[in-house]
């Protein structure tokens, strides 16, 4: 068996086929298929939206097994692959509710079972070389551009509905247009802010909000919290608690926690090395 695919490459391809493609299908059925109707109504829009969600869900559960077979056979570290794939929602956790909807043939089940024997081998310890010396936490520009595009399409949909809807009730027009305007201007505002919310390395965490640096020695713990559907990180340190908004950042919360753990461990490792050097100097 020739192993030639890195975890990062496999997960990136998985996100493309199991997340992006189903989203495009759902979007097409919701916003473009209705354009084919001569008489456009809210009921037809809702029917297309429901149909788009069902088709996207079915497509994801059909295509995910093909990704699993390819990735499990070619991944250089199958343990890391599974952890990252679950973290980035490419696949569902073992025995989860959504995992039961996967569409696979008997031959695919047999081949997958054979490939999963690789999990019985010990998980080798490997260096997470993907984590750099310094990590800047900021809003994802890709997400912001996508949101801007969505906002523009919502505004366009509102205008289309206004001139084509056969009913007198124009409520849907205002909902689409106002929501689109809010999404558009909110993300343009975020695009103009280039300062990272947090800067993290093996020395500690710097918050641009309060222009304060927290050494790992001063940090008791970190935790994530969701307030009004917005994600925040709380840094508990010896002087109090720093709360920083991390909504729409460039990584998942699980990935963020992993980065915090790595930098904290690097700090402890460097600290132990410094202590040993001091002991040698004293001797």
């Amino acid at each position: 068996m020739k192993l030639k695919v890195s975890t990062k490459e496999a997960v990136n391809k998985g996100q493309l086929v199991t997340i992006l493609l189903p989203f495009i299908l759902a979007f097409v059925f919701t916003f473009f298929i209705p354009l084919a109707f001569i008489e456009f109504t809210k009921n037809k829009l809702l029917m297309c939206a429901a149909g788009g969600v069902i088709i996207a869900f079915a497509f994801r559960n059909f295509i995910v097994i093909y990704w699993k077979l390819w990735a499990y056979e070619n991944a250089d570290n199958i343990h890391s692959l599974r952890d990252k794939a679950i973290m980035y929602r490419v696949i569902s956790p073992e025995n989860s509710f959504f995992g039961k909807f996967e569409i696979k043939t008997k031959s695919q089940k047999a081949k997958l079972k054979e490939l999963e024997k690789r999990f019985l081998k010990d998980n080798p310890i490997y260096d997470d070389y993907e984590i750099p010396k310094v990590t800047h936490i900021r809003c994802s520009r890709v997400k912001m551009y996508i949101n801007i595009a969505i906002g523009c399409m919502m505004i366009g949909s509102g205008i289309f509905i206004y001139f084509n809807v056969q009913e007198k009730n124009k409520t849907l027009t205002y909902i689409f247009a106002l929501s689109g305007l809010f999404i558009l201007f909110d993300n343009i505002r975020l695009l103009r802010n280039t300062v990272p919310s947090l800067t993290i390395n093996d020395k500690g965490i710097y918050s641009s909000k309060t222009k304060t640096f927290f050494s790992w020695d001063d940090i008791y713990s970190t935790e994530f919290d969701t307030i009004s559907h917005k994600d925040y990180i709380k840094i508990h340190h010896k002087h109090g608690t720093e709360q920083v908004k991390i909504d729409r950042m460039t990584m998942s919360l699980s990935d963020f926690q992993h980065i915090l753990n790595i930098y904290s461990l690097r700090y402890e490792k460097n600290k132990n090395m410094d202590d040993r050097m001091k002991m040698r100097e004293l001797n």
Side-chain angles (χ1 to χ4, degrees):
M1 184 183 296
K2 185 180 180 181
L3 307 180
K4 57 181 181 299
V5 180
S6 68
T7 296
K8 184 176 181 180
E9 180 184 357
V11 171
N12 286 343
K13 289 184 177 179
Q15 287 180 305
L16 174 65
V17 298
T18 68
I19 298 176
L20 182 59
L21 289 183
F23 173 80
I24 292 174
L25 280 174
F27 188 84
V28 168
F29 270 82
T30 301
F31 294 102
F32 288 96
I33 298 299
L35 298 179
F37 293 124
I38 297 176
E39 295 183 0
F40 186 87
T41 64
K42 288 188 291 184
N43 289 336
K44 289 179 180 178
L45 177 64
L46 293 174
M47 287 175 59
C48 289
V53 171
I54 293 172
I55 291 173
F57 182 75
F59 176 79
R60 171 184 164 82
N61 286 285
F62 167 77
I63 202 68
V64 69
I65 188 66
Y66 288 93
W67 179 85
K68 274 187 176 182
L69 292 172
W70 168 78
Y72 285 10
E73 184 174 2
N74 295 284
D76 56 2
N77 188 316
I78 194 170
H79 298 274
S80 173
L81 171 75
R82 182 173 61 181
D83 292 342
K84 291 284 187 181
I86 293 173
M87 181 186 300
Y88 288 102
R89 297 180 175 84
V90 174
I91 61 175
S92 302
E94 292 292 325
N95 302 317
S96 66
F97 175 75
F98 289 104
K100 297 177 181 179
F101 291 94
E102 290 181 357
I103 303 171
K104 46 194 171 187
T105 64
K106 288 183 178 180
S107 61
Q108 287 175 329
K109 287 181 181 179
K111 186 175 181 180
L112 186 62
K113 188 175 181 180
E114 182 67 25
L115 290 171
E116 286 177 343
K117 290 180 180 179
R118 293 185 63 195
F119 289 113
L120 300 177
K121 299 179 181 179
D122 291 336
N123 186 5
I125 299 174
Y126 63 97
D127 184 20
D128 197 348
Y129 59 87
E130 294 179 3
I131 298 180
K133 292 183 179 180
V134 179
T135 296
H136 300 289
I137 305 299
R138 50 166 55 94
C139 289
S140 170
R141 299 184 72 83
V142 173
K143 291 180 180 179
M144 286 186 279
Y145 283 124
I146 291 174
N147 288 336
I148 287 174
I150 291 173
C152 291
M153 284 185 282
M154 290 182 69
I155 295 171
S157 298
I159 295 172
F160 175 83
I161 294 171
Y162 182 85
F163 288 105
N164 291 274
V165 71
Q166 300 299 315
E167 302 174 9
K168 293 182 179 180
N169 188 358
K170 305 290 185 180
T171 304
L172 199 61
T173 297
Y174 303 125
I175 292 175
F176 270 86
L178 293 176
S179 299
L181 283 171
F182 174 79
I183 293 172
L184 177 65
F185 287 109
D186 183 50
N187 283 274
I188 289 176
R189 176 183 61 83
L190 291 173
L191 270 176
R192 297 177 64 184
N193 182 17
T194 58
V195 179
S197 302
L198 295 170
T199 300
I200 311 170
N201 58 22
D202 58 1
K203 300 293 190 299
I205 303 174
Y206 175 76
S207 170
S208 61
K209 177 183 176 182
T210 57
K211 293 181 173 57
T212 307
F213 176 78
F214 305 99
S215 169
W216 288 113
D217 251 351
D218 298 332
I219 298 174
Y220 300 139
S221 63
T222 58
E223 66 172 317
F224 299 109
D225 195 9
T226 302
I227 303 173
S228 300
H229 306 290
K230 303 291 184 182
D231 293 324
Y232 292 83
I233 181 174
K234 292 182 179 179
I235 305 170
H236 302 290
H237 52 89
K238 66 180 183 180
H239 301 296
T241 299
E242 177 87 358
Q243 180 173 284
V244 180
K245 184 179 177 181
I246 53 174
D247 194 49
R248 286 178 283 193
M249 61 180 177
T250 55
M251 66 186 72
S252 68
L253 294 181
S254 300
D255 211 14
F256 192 7
Q257 183 63 64
H258 176 63
I259 285 175
L260 291 172
N261 293 338
I262 291 297
Y263 283 123
S264 178
L265 289 172
R266 288 179 183 176
Y267 171 78
E268 292 296 334
K269 182 179 178 181
N270 293 337
K271 182 180 178 183
N272 292 335
M273 289 180 63
D274 290 340
D275 291 341
R276 285 196 295 269
M277 291 294 292
K278 290 178 181 178
M279 289 297 293
R280 288 180 182 177
E281 290 176 0
L282 292 175
N283 293 333

